[in-house]
Amino acid sequence: MGADGGVIISSERTLGREELMDRAARAASGLLGSGGRAGGAVAILLRNDFAFLETVFAAGSIGAQAVPVNWHFKAAEINFILEDSGATHLIAHADLLRELDGRLPSGLEVLSVPTPPEVAAAYAIDAAECGPVPGVAEWAAFLERHPPLPREEQRKGGTMMYTSGTTGRPKGVRRQALDPRRHRLDAELRQLWFGNRPGMSTAIVGPMYHSVQLSYTTAAVQAPGRVLLVPRFDAEQLLAVIEAEHLTHLHLVPIMMSRLVKLPREVRERYDTSSLEFVVHGSAPCPPEVKGKLIDWLGPIVHEYYGTTEAGMVSRASSEEWRERPGTVGRAWPGREVRICDDEGRLLARGEPGEVYMSLGPMPDFTYQNADAERAEIERDGLVTSGDIGYLDEDGYLYLCDRKRDLVISGGVNIYPAEIEGVLAAHPAVLDSAVFAVPDDDYGERAMAAVQLREDADADPEELRQFLRARLAGFKVPRVIEIRDALPREPSGKIAKRRLRDPYWAHAGRMI
């Protein structure tokens, strides 16, 4: 481990926590000297790598917002976030920059990070794509040119994660700055949420562009702990890492849990997982049979949380609580409040489903970047909602049973139907479309599209998928597209998505 007990590891490379903070301080100095500013934004287009953490801590040190960008996105999607956030800098892996082929907003300071060999191997990236990008400054040289920003000049910034809603356009969640006291409180609470302790050992098996995965990673670094960056999730490989590295903590999403429990028994029994102390999961609905099998296997060390990008983590349930109340996502954390309201905002009785509203508690308030009106729409009496439908039992345990909005959560990743529908609308053969969630054994949910074609027009599902693939990240493209003669509609004329999706969920034995 590093001198202060913390170390980050990626294959054969290691970075001590003190060295990480020194490099982040150098990056902060460099950002300030090249247009970075408090209240500004620094964009990150990186897979899990040291430079990701260096940039997050550097941006925070100058009071700027670090803006992680999903590296699966196409150029148009990336450029929207760069422009909307007002990013002054983009730090990106070399192969990803090459894919953008110079199609970036003007005035953006771009810094290239060599794509590490372990990442290249995991994603079958040609070595020729991983080195220096002509005409683009390199991250390592940028750091070497600048002295560390003195501690007394460092500030407290944060991250601006892009999420979305019914508009289909991503929205940046911009938080108010934390004062030093609340910053310390936030750091302490995150350690409690994730069950962290000094000297812990964990592996980061999900992408850090996801808000909770980044929060988990930075908390583990600050515990301080031993943090292994895994380029790509593989179920059996993770078991091998748990045994070889004596991992004590893990953060998982349901698709990872599903793939772990689906490994043949003889494979699971081949590895020693007894070092694990605390496994936490969330980000998407988890099939009860999957969670039950994981608890049976690993023991009562599996904890589930519920929260949103806007509100942070709101509730948590232990294995014992979940066994006693199957399906619960726990009780509100101390300092948090959960209310269940009807469409008029009236408080509903225990056991009665309605829209879930939650207080921010110690979390700083937020707005949506360039969309203050949309922020106001989700608030009621000081509490905010993500559009989930649920109920509280007599003891205050929260259960989720529906989603008011159309969001699809597939493998812990948000997919926004309105965005896909907007692209389909540009196809000359498409009259109208509806994208909705259907159950999936591995991913929990996946997107499906029902499409109505224009009169006398012709297009098949594969043609529509190719049209979408050219314009959207691959994970957003529905695997199933059905051509329908007509789409069901409400009296208002709006497409009745519930009539489309309910048969699939009824067959699966549950409704959303």
Side-chain angles (χ1 to χ4, degrees), residues 1-10 13-21 50 53 57 191 194-204 215-229 245-250 277:
M1 288 198 179
D4 62 352
V7 64
I8 305 97
I9 302 167
S10 184
R13 300 181 300 139
T14 62
L15 183 68
R17 184 172 178 270
E18 288 184 352
E19 185 183 359
L20 166 65
M21 296 309 176
F50 298 157
L53 294 169
F57 288 120
Q191 304 298 357
F194 296 129
N196 290 351
R197 62 168 176 78
M200 64 180 284
S201 181
T202 190
I204 307 305
S215 182
Y216 178 81
T217 306
T218 55
V221 168
Q222 293 169 324
R226 188 167 179 267
V227 180
L228 286 77
L229 303 182
E245 304 293 342
H246 306 291
L247 299 188
T248 58
H249 292 65
L250 276 178
E277 302 171 6

Side-chain angles (χ1 to χ4, degrees), residues 4 27 34 41 45 90 128 144 183 231 270 306 359 368:
D4 62 352
S34 55
L45 186 64
L90 171 65
E144 288 174 5
H183 193 275
R270 194 179 299 156
Y306 169 68
S359 68
Y368 290 123

Side-chain angles (χ1 to χ4, degrees), residues 23 93 102 192 282 306 376:
R23 290 172 63 84
H93 272 147
L192 288 172
Y306 169 68

Side-chain angles (χ1 to χ4, degrees), residues 34-284:
S34 55
R37 63 186 185 278
V42 177
I44 305 169
L45 186 64
L46 297 166
R47 300 179 185 83
N48 292 358
D49 194 3
F50 298 157
F52 201 124
L53 294 169
E54 292 163 0
T55 306
V56 167
F57 288 120
S61 293
I62 67 169
Q65 303 281 313
V67 183
V69 181
N70 186 327
W71 51 265
H72 292 94
F73 282 176
K74 302 291 186 182
E77 298 169 294
I78 292 169
N79 278 335
F80 171 79
I81 291 175
L82 294 176
E83 291 174 351
D84 186 72
S85 67
T88 56
H89 295 75
L90 171 65
I91 292 83
H93 272 147
D95 68 292
L96 298 174
L97 276 179
R98 285 184 165 88
E99 288 181 10
L100 292 174
D101 194 28
R103 292 170 290 174
L104 291 167
S106 60
L108 187 71
E109 183 84 11
V110 181
L111 296 161
S112 173
V113 178
T115 308
E118 60 270 25
V119 170
Y123 293 96
I125 304 167
D126 191 317
E129 304 296 306
C130 299
V133 179
V136 178
E138 290 200 56
W139 181 245
F142 179 75
L143 268 57
E144 288 174 5
R145 289 200 305 269
H146 297 94
L149 184 68
R151 186 177 295 275
E152 60 272 16
E153 295 180 25
Q154 294 181 17
R155 305 178 65 166
K156 300 295 183 185
T159 56
M160 180 160 61
M161 312 301 296
Y162 268 75
T163 183
S164 191
T166 55
T167 64
R169 274 294 196 181
K171 299 188 296 292
V173 179
R174 177 181 281 274
R175 296 201 179 278
Q176 293 179 353
L178 285 169
D179 60 48
R181 185 191 66 83
R182 293 187 70 185
H183 193 275
R184 286 194 301 274
L185 177 61
D186 175 67
E188 291 168 1
L189 283 174
R190 284 193 298 140
Q191 304 298 357
L192 288 172
W193 271 109
F194 296 129
N196 290 351
R197 62 168 176 78
M200 64 180 284
S201 181
T202 190
I204 307 305
V205 292
M208 288 194 288
Y209 60 65
H210 192 288
S211 60
V212 72
Q213 187 66 76
L214 179 57
S215 182
Y216 178 81
T217 306
T218 55
V221 168
Q222 293 169 324
R226 188 167 179 267
V227 180
L228 286 77
L229 303 182
V230 177
R232 192 170 194 169
F233 173 79
D234 176 270
E236 185 173 357
Q237 181 191 54
L238 177 56
L239 295 184
V241 170
I242 293 170
E243 179 180 74
E245 304 293 342
H246 306 291
L247 299 188
T248 58
H249 292 65
L250 276 178
H251 177 275
L252 301 172
V253 296
I255 186 172
M256 297 173 184
M257 299 162 67
S258 175
R259 292 184 177 176
L260 284 165
V261 300
K262 285 181 179 179
L263 288 171
R265 178 181 293 274
E266 61 270 22
V267 173
R268 285 188 278 129
E269 291 179 348
R270 194 179 299 156
Y271 300 95
D272 181 4
T273 60
S274 62
S275 61
L276 287 174
E277 302 171 6
F278 201 99
V279 176
V280 62
H281 77 93
S283 303

Side-chain angles (χ1 to χ4, degrees), residues 184-447:
R184 286 194 301 274
L185 177 61
D186 175 67
E188 291 168 1
L189 283 174
R190 284 193 298 140
Q191 304 298 357
L192 288 172
W193 271 109
F194 296 129
N196 290 351
R197 62 168 176 78
M200 64 180 284
S201 181
T202 190
I204 307 305
V205 292
M208 288 194 288
Y209 60 65
H210 192 288
S211 60
V212 72
Q213 187 66 76
L214 179 57
S215 182
Y216 178 81
T217 306
T218 55
V221 168
Q222 293 169 324
R226 188 167 179 267
V227 180
L228 286 77
L229 303 182
V230 177
R232 192 170 194 169
F233 173 79
D234 176 270
E236 185 173 357
Q237 181 191 54
L238 177 56
L239 295 184
V241 170
I242 293 170
E243 179 180 74
E245 304 293 342
H246 306 291
L247 299 188
T248 58
H249 292 65
L250 276 178
H251 177 275
L252 301 172
V253 296
I255 186 172
M256 297 173 184
M257 299 162 67
S258 175
R259 292 184 177 176
L260 284 165
V261 300
K262 285 181 179 179
L263 288 171
R265 178 181 293 274
E266 61 270 22
V267 173
R268 285 188 278 129
E269 291 179 348
R270 194 179 299 156
Y271 300 95
D272 181 4
T273 60
S274 62
S275 61
L276 287 174
E277 302 171 6
F278 201 99
V279 176
V280 62
H281 77 93
S283 303
C286 183
E289 61 275 17
V290 170
K291 180 165 181 174
K293 288 178 180 177
L294 193 71
I295 295 173
D296 290 342
W297 173 19
L298 299 180
I301 62 170
V302 180
H303 302 257
E304 181 172 3
Y305 61 82
Y306 169 68
T308 68
T309 300
E310 291 87 343
M313 292 190 182
V314 176
S315 67
R316 196 181 73 190
S318 66
S319 293
E320 292 85 357
E321 289 172 312
W322 188 85
R323 288 289 200 197
E324 292 171 4
R325 300 170 172 83
T328 185
V329 292
R331 282 193 294 190
W333 195 256
R336 290 301 187 98
E337 180 185 1
V338 173
R339 294 182 195 168
I340 308 298
C341 300
D342 65 14
D343 289 343
E344 281 70 49
R346 293 186 292 260
L347 198 63
L348 294 173
R350 295 296 172 100
E352 192 171 351
E355 191 162 3
V356 180
Y357 282 83
M358 59 210 96
S359 68
L360 295 177
M363 294 285 287
D365 201 1
F366 70 93
T367 190
Y368 290 123
Q369 177 79 347
N370 301 320
D372 291 337
E374 292 189 45
R375 163 64 177 87
E377 288 173 4
I378 68 167
E379 182 173 340
R380 192 185 293 275
D381 299 327
L383 279 69
V384 298
T385 181
S386 64
D388 286 330
I389 301 296
Y391 64 91
L392 295 170
D393 70 11
E394 291 301 323
D395 296 315
Y397 283 85
L398 176 63
Y399 297 75
L400 302 176
C401 54
D402 203 338
R403 224 177 355 261
K404 188 173 182 179
R405 297 176 184 172
D406 292 334
L407 181 69
V408 180
I409 304 178
S410 185
V413 176
N414 292 352
I415 299 174
Y416 303 101
E419 182 181 23
I420 303 169
E421 292 161 358
V423 176
L424 281 169
H427 191 285
V430 173
L431 176 65
D432 214 341
S433 68
V435 177
F436 49 96
V438 295
D440 185 279
D441 288 342
D442 264 349
Y443 288 81
E445 298 176 357
R446 57 182 167 83

